[in-house]
């Protein structure tokens, strides 16, 4: 049996993820982290408050009726029950993160909250309890073709919040679903305008482009987009090895270019040094003496050099008398 190549091993998991996401339709893992009302913890505080108000109003109305009529009748109980319902429907509360949109006879009247507020029963009603906290919506694009006809799967997340509860209530029917659909549409459009290299390399630019595109639509709904973040990009297996080879070739090209530039700079510096030494022989001799000194230090011993190097040490000095000891070649010639 033929063993899979190294590249095949690396891309096996991505291939499975790609196939799984294409089989599962639009319901991908990223979309399970959305934060609509159905996924938020149940807030029973308004219901509990209304129940307590109902009980208190019922007891007070029943007590006042029995005091006035000096006896308890079925009519007092009925009237007390109706009064308790009206009082409970009038007094409401909103959580700290909520803004409540109230309509009067079907027309917008006011936005209240947080805390205690009052409405007129049968005249006013609550149209929307808008959550003003930062919301998270996951969205994806599956098998979307890039400009160079490469199918990709992409997951992303958008962070947004409602800044105008009135517009969120009156301008759009369901702003949760509207934000999700707008994000998916913008993602597919952005993928279709770019090639696979731009998507994988310039991911930050794609994030900003998606943010601007989505915010164009959501601003009229009273919704502000805080950020859009690409979470994962999955490409077909057969393209992953080709892209890896292209990236390796590009890195080798850059390395060769850098090496050539260094060699050119070194050649230019050597050329400049040659001009200096050609104009000033003393500079060249001093350089030779410096190299000789460095060679002696590094060798930690005796260094045998040509007799021509000794000329630099004797320039400017009077010739010494001949001796029986060894002399440099220059002294013998003199």
């Amino acid at each position: 049996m033929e063993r899979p190549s190294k590249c095949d091993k690396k891309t096996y998991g991505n291939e499975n993820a790609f196939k799984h996401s294409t089989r599962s339709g639009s319901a991908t893992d990223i979309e399970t982290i959305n934060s609509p009302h159905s996924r938020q913890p149940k807030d029973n505080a308004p219901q509990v408050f209304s129940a307590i108000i109902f009980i208190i109003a019922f007891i007070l109305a029943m007590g006042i009726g029995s005091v006035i009529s000096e006896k308890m009748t079925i009519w007092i109980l009925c009237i007390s029950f109706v009064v308790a319902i009206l009082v409970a429907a009038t007094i409401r509360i909103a959580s700290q993160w909520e803004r409540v949109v109230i309509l009067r006879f079907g027309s917008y009247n006011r936005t209240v909250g947080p805390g205690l507020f009052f409405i007129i029963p049968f005249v006013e009603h609550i149209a929307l309890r808008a959550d003003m906290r930062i919301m998270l919506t996951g969205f994806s694009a599956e098998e979307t073709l890039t400009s160079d006809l490469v199918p990709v799967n992409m997951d992303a997340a958008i962070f947004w919040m409602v800044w105008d509860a009135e517009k969120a209530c009156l301008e759009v029917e369901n702003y949760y679903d509207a934000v999700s659909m707008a994000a998916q549409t913008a993602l597919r459009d952005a993928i279709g305008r770019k090639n696979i290299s731009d998507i994988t390399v310039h991911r930050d630019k794609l994030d900003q482009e998606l943010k601007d595109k989505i915010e164009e639509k959501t601003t009229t709904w009273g919704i502000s987009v805080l950020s859009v973040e690409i979470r994962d990009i999955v490409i077909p297996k057969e393209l992953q090895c080709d892209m890896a080879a292209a990236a390796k070739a590009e890195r080798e090209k850059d390395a060769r270019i850098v090496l050539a530039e260094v060699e050119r700079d070194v050649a230019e510096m050597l050329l400049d040094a040659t001009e200096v030494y050609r104009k000033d022989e003393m500079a060249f001799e001093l350089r030779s003496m410096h190299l000789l000194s460095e060679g002696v230090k590094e060798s930690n011993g005796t260094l045998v050099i040509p007799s021509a190097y000794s000329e630099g040490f004797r320039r400017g000095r009077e010739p010494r008398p001949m001796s029986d000891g060894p002399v440099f070649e220059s002294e013998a010639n003199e």
Side-chain angles (χ1 to χ4, degrees), residues 29 115 205 218 235-236 257 277 279 283 295 308 323 331:
D29 294 338
K205 294 182 180 180
T218 60
I235 62 176
I257 292 175
Y277 294 147
K279 295 178 181 179
S323 62
E331 292 181 351

Side-chain angles (χ1 to χ4, degrees), residues 161-182:
M161 64 179 299
V162 178
W163 58 271
D164 192 333
E166 177 186 352
K167 291 183 178 181
C169 177
L170 303 179
E171 299 296 334
V172 62
E173 188 271 333
N174 187 330
Y175 60 86
Y176 285 96
D177 294 340
V179 169
S180 178
M181 185 58 64

Side-chain angles (χ1 to χ4, degrees), residues 221-295:
W221 305 338
I223 296 173
S224 177
V225 178
L226 303 181
S227 65
V228 178
E229 299 179 3
I230 301 298
R231 192 187 71 157
D232 191 19
I233 300 175
V234 181
I235 62 176
K237 181 189 70 173
E238 57 270 12
L239 291 179
Q240 295 184 12
C241 290
D242 296 339
M243 294 180 64
K248 183 179 179 181
E250 188 68 22
R251 289 194 296 268
E252 291 179 355
K253 173 185 174 183
D254 295 339
R256 292 179 180 273
I257 292 175
V258 172
L259 180 60
E261 292 177 350
V262 171
E263 291 180 352
R264 182 189 61 188
D265 295 339
V266 171
E268 291 177 354
M269 289 187 290
L270 290 176
L271 180 61
D272 295 339
T274 302
E275 292 294 328
V276 174
Y277 294 147
R278 185 174 61 84
K279 295 178 181 179
D280 190 349
E281 294 182 359
M282 183 60 70
F284 180 73
E285 292 178 358
L286 289 175
R287 179 59 179 168
S288 301
M289 295 168 61
H290 177 73
L291 293 175
L292 176 61
S293 176
E294 293 295 327

Side-chain angles (χ1 to χ4, degrees), residues 50-89:
S50 298
I52 294 175
I53 292 297
F54 175 84
I55 294 173
I56 294 175
F58 181 76
I59 294 174
L60 290 177
M62 188 172 57
I64 293 173
S66 61
V67 169
I68 294 175
S69 62
E70 297 182 352
K71 60 179 180 179
M72 182 64 64
T73 62
I74 187 64
W75 294 107
I76 294 176
L77 293 176
C78 293
I79 295 174
S80 300
F81 184 79
V82 173
V83 171
I85 292 178
L86 293 177
V87 173

Side-chain angles (χ1 to χ4, degrees), residues 99-103 108 110-111 125-128 165-166 169:
R99 299 297 183 270
V100 181
V101 179
I102 297 177
L103 302 183
Y108 173 78
R110 64 189 184 278
T111 300
H125 71 278
I126 297 175
L128 175 68
E166 177 186 352
C169 177

Side-chain angles (χ1 to χ4, degrees), residues 90-118:
T90 301
I91 305 175
R92 301 292 185 87
I93 61 170
S95 301
Q96 180 65 36
W97 57 84
E98 288 182 334
R99 299 297 183 270
V100 181
V101 179
I102 297 177
L103 302 183
R104 178 178 294 177
F105 294 116
S107 300
Y108 173 78
N109 182 259
R110 64 189 184 278
T111 300
V112 297
L116 193 68
F117 65 93
F118 303 91

